[in-house]
Amino acid sequence: MRVLICILFAIVFGNAEIIERFTKPENCKSCHNEQFSVWKTSLHSLSHEKNNELYEKSVKFVSLETSKGHAEVLVSCSNCHNPRLEIKEIDDVYTIAKTFDLKTQKTEKIDEALGVEHIQNGISCYICHNVDNIKIKNSENQVGYKNFEWTKDETIVGPYEDPDNRAGFHKSSQREYFVNGNDLCLSCHQGTALNNPLAIYNTGDEHLQSGDAQRCVDCHMKPTTKGVISPHSKPETAKVRNLRAHLFAGVRNSSELLNDSLKIDLKKIAQNKVNLNVTNLTSHNLPSGFSGRNITIKITFFDKSAKEIKSQNINFEKIYHNKLGVITLSYNADKLISDTTLKAYEDRNIEIDAPLHVSSAKVEVLYYVLSPKLQERIIVNDEKYTKPYQIYKATFSLK
């Protein structure tokens, strides 16, 4: 019986060797304060449900719609959201025990692992910088931790070697995926989040099909700057290197990212017609990734006295329906109803009816982390996930 229990725990729990002092980002802050400070603004730092209301509510929403246990969905999502989570799967025995509020050795062990402090830090320093090797990807279901082999000692990996062990706090070693390619990013940002094939994060394939050679970090970690990675550590042996901001830029913490991603033009082509030209300047779809995102272009028409005549919204998003025909997230969807996202480098013309006596039009581009339609189904109170982010605004003459 004891052997059976050991085998069971070996299946349910991962055996990743975690060095405790690496699990606290504050420990890294001592030497790498600049990187720590900007990382704190990123969604990587908010990838745990306790720190991210949208993620928390989405897990509960998917759990209800799929009739799966909350912990089962949470652990599946944690493949990427918390790849160092000790639990790797939830079985029916645990789900039934929790349903009837039964406490067993197994439920207590799993509950303890789900609440462990270090995973609440999200995708922190010791996630990416502890990846010793990235496996060859054999399927779209191989996401997150399934792609990683972790370092087994006190080595922190990154884009540079440190043969003199200047860091002191840890050994340093270079890995190719910090220097070239997108394998590290796409270990989580490409693949199916759940078994549902509609739950695919396709950013990697979108980028590949664009033919663009730039890396994810070229936009999302900004251009490199010259500096010292740990300016207060052994300054006499400091080395100036090319550094990247650990911003992992998105609309929430870097409006400039999307300001530079779209080109907009509006022209009158007939007495009562205008043409909206929208060009995606990025190497992946807009929006991409999480299926709840939406970009709305709001056009407001004015007469010659600047009085508003009419307004109209144009949406760029993916619409999914569940088996009941109700809008939902991709994770529990039955069908993809429509896809109006802008493809990589797409130049799209949209003909719009214009009111009579129009003189000008204001064009606003609004980005929603969670679309207004889905906000009616997933009630999120934190406005950083619900408010529209204005990423473009201009007025065009239509005389």
Side-chain angles (χ1 to χ4, degrees), residues 91-126:
D91 61 16
D92 292 340
V93 175
Y94 173 85
T95 302
I96 292 170
K98 295 297 289 184
T99 300
F100 291 98
D101 199 24
L102 300 175
K103 289 187 177 181
T104 66
Q105 181 184 4
K106 183 177 178 181
T107 61
E108 288 182 358
K109 181 78 173 176
I110 291 176
D111 287 345
E112 180 183 344
L114 285 171
V116 72
E117 182 179 355
H118 71 80
I119 67 164
Q120 296 177 27
N121 294 322
I123 305 300
S124 62
C125 318
Y126 89 114

Side-chain angles (χ1 to χ4, degrees), residues 10 41 83 104 113 140-141 143 150 158 189 201 218 247 252 254 284 295 303 334 336 368 391:
T41 74
T104 66
E140 291 291 4
N141 294 109
V143 295
W150 307 103
H189 291 275
Y201 279 58
D218 292 336
L247 191 68
R252 280 185 49 259
S254 178
H284 58 68
I295 292 177
D303 64 17
D334 184 56
L336 172 61
Y368 289 90
I391 60 175

Side-chain angles (χ1 to χ4, degrees), residues 78-97:
S78 292
N79 288 351
C80 289
H81 274 258
N82 295 111
R84 297 307 291 261
L85 181 66
E86 192 177 359
I87 304 167
K88 301 307 181 190
E89 63 180 41
I90 295 288
D91 61 16
D92 292 340
V93 175
Y94 173 85
T95 302
I96 292 170

Side-chain angles (χ1 to χ4, degrees), residues 169-239:
F169 188 73
H170 57 76
K171 292 185 288 185
S172 299
S173 185
Q174 184 190 66
R175 292 295 181 272
E176 177 66 18
Y177 39 83
F178 281 95
V179 180
N180 295 304
N182 295 308
D183 288 351
L184 184 57
C185 300
L186 297 182
S187 290
C188 287
H189 291 275
Q190 175 66 43
T192 51
L194 299 175
N195 289 328
N196 184 346
L198 292 176
I200 189 164
Y201 279 58
N202 228 20
T203 308
D205 280 351
E206 293 163 6
H207 174 74
L208 185 65
Q209 291 165 16
S210 77
D212 197 314
Q214 69 178 332
R215 303 175 65 209
C216 304
V217 296
D218 292 336
C219 291
H220 294 280
M221 293 183 76
K222 295 293 186 181
T224 57
T225 57
K226 294 289 184 180
V228 178
I229 187 67
S230 52
H232 305 299
S233 175
K234 301 179 182 178
E236 69 279 2
T237 59
K239 294 182 180 179

